[in-house]
Amino acid sequence: NSSRIVGAARHLTGGAANISVDHYSSGWKIDDIADFTKEGKFHIKTYNKISEQGLKQFPEEQYEIKPSEWDAFNAHAILLRSHKLQESEVDVSVRAIARCGAGTNNVPVVRMTELGIPVFNTPGANANAVKELILCGMLLGSRRVVDGINHMKELGAAGQARERVEKDKAMFGGRELKGKTLAVVGLGHIGASTARDAAALGMDIVGYDPGLSIDSALKLPREITLVDSISSAVANADYISLNIPYIKGSPKEGGTHGIIGNDVISHLKSDAVILNFARGELVDSDAMKSFLDSGDGRYVTDFPDDLCWDHKNAVVLPHLGASTEEAEDQAAAMAANTIRDYIETGAIKNSVNFPETSLPERPANSIRMTVVNKNIPGMLAHITEAFAKADLNIIQQINHSRGDIAYNVLDIDPTSNVGDAICLKDLQRELTTLEGVLSSRVLFDCPGAGYARNIEGSYFI
């Protein structure tokens, strides 16, 4: 959609300069814009049911929330949970995408990076909910609680519950957690929280995480023993909690698909309990079934498993990990605030494809512009040259890169161009049409305006 809406020029006041910025918004069709928009607001498209508490982070006077069913609605940002996003659903006007959750496998991140669109997630928002389910899973794997519940229902139906309740308890004997060893594979938000609370229950903790961050390390219990491989972690463990991300490809290829296979399982104790509330694909089902068949080991997960779903030593739950009101509220609120920070100030936090960018306050009487470009040599010089041609002084500038993407934030002094009016529309066109530039924004007091895209050489505003 290359439709272009240009209304009355906006004027920014700052010093003695006269600055003109066209009031425009990408993608809108001029014949029906009045039916689908509210002037002067950012428009957020939502997929799935997003927590109302989270959506309240968007001030009503600045934002309008619309569900994806609103077919003609072209958004400035997208908020979603489990919906598998297609490129065709990302309007030319979209500046950012945020998922209310940690994983982004349902978002075409690689393609969004190519288009210059940041994708955000909410790491840690559901950590407590998942941690609590892991602790529950340890108990389910220790005491055959589920089997006991089903048995009592059968006895109740037969009218024998009272006479058999004491006699049959020996059928469901188990063990306690205190004094047992828990191996935590992956020590991010969820893993660190699990390790800390399991230690408080009197368990011995062994941990493995080759990419352990300082932040996560500070949250670990003092008594934890860190090892250098998964096999070392699980070798003497009574319980193993998997808390690592799914990365496509085998372990030999640098991925995590089937990482809990025969090589790792061969090191397990015969009665070990494996807890998988991370991703189902981490576990090789054939290897897991062989393990469950050969001893008294248990497998507890909230992911479907075609081979182990009805095994007597497996407890397979619905995908309940983050299914609490608190987790959904927190994830939605975090996603909303991340979108707001990026749209309103240009700051980037919790992006899976753009560089982390913390920004200082915009200086008084200055204008902030952002430029997203391919991370290739010479781009920064070309960008600053465009400002020099416009006789504009750059007060402060930040340039960060990540992989194939570079992100620039420039605060400019409009008073450096004395006399003639400054036409940011012309400057923005010149910036955005530079070879290698993907998009640009002028951040000012008109929500929805000031965004331009360069899509394969075509200029969209």
Side-chain angles (χ1 to χ4, degrees):
N1 188 345
S2 59
S3 302
R4 184 175 185 267
I5 306 303
V6 180
R10 303 280 297 183
H11 296 278
L12 303 179
T13 56
N18 181 17
I19 307 140
S20 175
V21 182
D22 270 6
H23 179 178
Y24 56 81
S25 177
S26 302
W28 299 107
K29 296 180 179 178
I30 196 165
D31 56 349
D32 62 2
I33 186 171
D35 297 328
F36 301 115
T37 75
K38 291 181 180 177
E39 186 177 357
K41 288 192 175 185
F42 290 114
H43 299 270
I44 310 297
K45 181 188 286 187
T46 62
Y47 288 91
N48 312 119
K49 181 174 170 51
I50 306 295
S51 158
E52 288 297 326
Q53 291 299 316
L55 293 178
K56 286 180 180 179
Q57 303 300 312
F58 292 113
E60 290 185 3
E61 62 274 13
Q62 285 181 281
Y63 290 86
E64 184 174 10
I65 312 298
K66 292 292 184 180
S68 58
E69 292 78 14
W70 193 297
D71 292 334
F73 181 74
N74 292 341
H76 300 124
I78 292 174
L79 210 62
L80 77 165
R81 291 175 60 199
S82 58
H83 173 74
K84 191 169 181 61
L85 191 67
Q86 306 298 317
E87 183 182 347
S88 59
E89 296 170 321
V90 181
D91 302 315
V92 70
S93 53
V94 169
R95 289 105 159 112
I97 299 166
R99 180 174 182 265
C100 304
T104 53
N105 300 82
N106 57 318
V107 179
V109 176
V110 173
R111 181 56 180 155
M112 293 304 100
T113 305
E114 292 172 350
L115 294 173
I117 299 173
V119 178
F120 300 93
N121 66 350
T122 58
N126 64 357
N128 188 70
V130 178
K131 181 265 315 261
E132 289 186 359
L133 194 59
I134 292 171
L135 297 178
C136 173
M138 286 197 285
L139 296 171
L140 292 176
S142 301
R143 307 288 290 271
R144 289 203 178 274
V145 175
V146 175
D147 293 341
I149 292 171
N150 292 333
H151 183 67
M152 288 304 293
K153 286 183 178 180
E154 293 172 0
L155 292 178
Q160 299 177 328
R162 289 186 180 277
E163 64 181 85
R164 298 278 295 275
V165 65
E166 289 294 332
K167 185 183 300 183
D168 289 2
K169 67 182 182 181
M171 299 167 57
F172 308 103
R175 65 189 185 194
E176 299 180 11
L177 301 181
K178 186 176 181 180
K180 303 303 187 298
T181 298
L182 169 66
V184 183
V185 180
L187 295 167
H189 293 281
I190 296 170
S193 181
T194 299
R196 188 171 59 250
D197 282 14
L201 291 173
M203 302 186 76
D204 297 322
I205 312 299
V206 177
Y208 169 72
D209 190 332
L212 180 63
S213 69
I214 295 175
D215 183 54
S216 293
L218 292 173
K219 297 176 182 178
L220 296 175
R222 288 185 178 182
E223 303 82 4
I224 191 170
T225 300
L226 297 176
V227 295
D228 60 2
S229 70
I230 296 178
S231 295
S232 297
V234 307
N236 297 300
D238 302 293
Y239 301 84
I240 297 97
S241 178
L242 305 179
N243 306 287
I244 55 179
Y246 175 71
I247 301 172
K248 192 174 181 179
S250 69
K252 291 182 179 179
E253 298 169 328
T256 57
H257 188 97
I259 194 168
I260 307 302
N262 287 320
D263 288 348
V264 172
I265 289 177
S266 64
H267 291 83
L268 297 179
K269 295 170 69 171
S270 62
D271 61 349
V273 177
I274 299 93
L275 306 142
N276 180 13
F277 295 92
R279 280 294 297 271
E281 296 90 339
L282 297 173
V283 173
D284 182 318
S285 294
D286 288 311
M288 180 58 67
K289 185 176 184 304
S290 296
F291 170 70
L292 298 179
D293 287 341
S294 63
D296 196 31
R298 311 286 168 82
Y299 181 45
V300 186
T301 183
D302 65 345
F303 292 94
D305 192 295
D306 294 338
L307 290 181
C308 301
W309 65 272
D310 63 343
H311 198 287
K312 66 183 181 69
N313 287 341
V315 178
V316 181
L317 308 171
H319 188 48
L320 301 177
S323 295
T324 67
E325 290 184 15
E326 295 89 345
E328 291 179 7
D329 288 349
Q330 190 164 333
M334 186 182 293
N337 286 322
T338 299
I339 288 289
R340 284 195 63 191
D341 282 348
Y342 179 70
I343 285 181
E344 296 176 24
T345 73
I348 296 177
K349 184 179 181 181
N350 296 330
S351 174
V352 300
N353 63 335
F354 268 52
E356 194 93 353
T357 307
S358 298
L359 298 175
E361 290 286 331
R362 179 165 60 90
N365 299 324
S366 68
I367 300 169
R368 177 164 289 177
M369 294 188 70
T370 70
V371 181
V372 178
N373 61 272
K374 297 177 182 177
N375 189 18
I376 54 180
M379 287 303 306
L380 185 57
H382 293 314
I383 291 169
T384 54
E385 184 180 352
F387 285 94
K389 285 182 179 178
D391 292 327
L392 290 172
N393 181 46
I394 299 173
I395 303 172
Q396 58 185 9
Q397 175 181 352
I398 292 176
N399 170 264
H400 289 166
S401 63
R402 178 177 179 179
D404 296 330
I405 281 290
Y407 181 61
N408 306 271
V409 182
L410 306 101
D411 292 332
I412 57 177
D413 178 8
T415 64
S416 59
N417 186 327
V418 181
D420 296 335
I422 300 169
C423 187
L424 291 183
K425 179 186 71 171
D426 293 341
L427 172 60
Q428 186 169 30
R429 173 181 284 275
E430 181 169 351
L431 278 171
T432 311
T433 54
L434 287 171
E435 185 175 354
V437 169
L438 301 173
S439 66
S440 66
R441 288 195 295 153
V442 182
L443 277 62
F444 62 111
D445 63 348
C446 183
Y451 184 57
R453 294 272 300 276
N454 181 345
I455 303 177
E456 297 178 354
S458 296
Y459 186 61
F460 290 80
I461 61 171

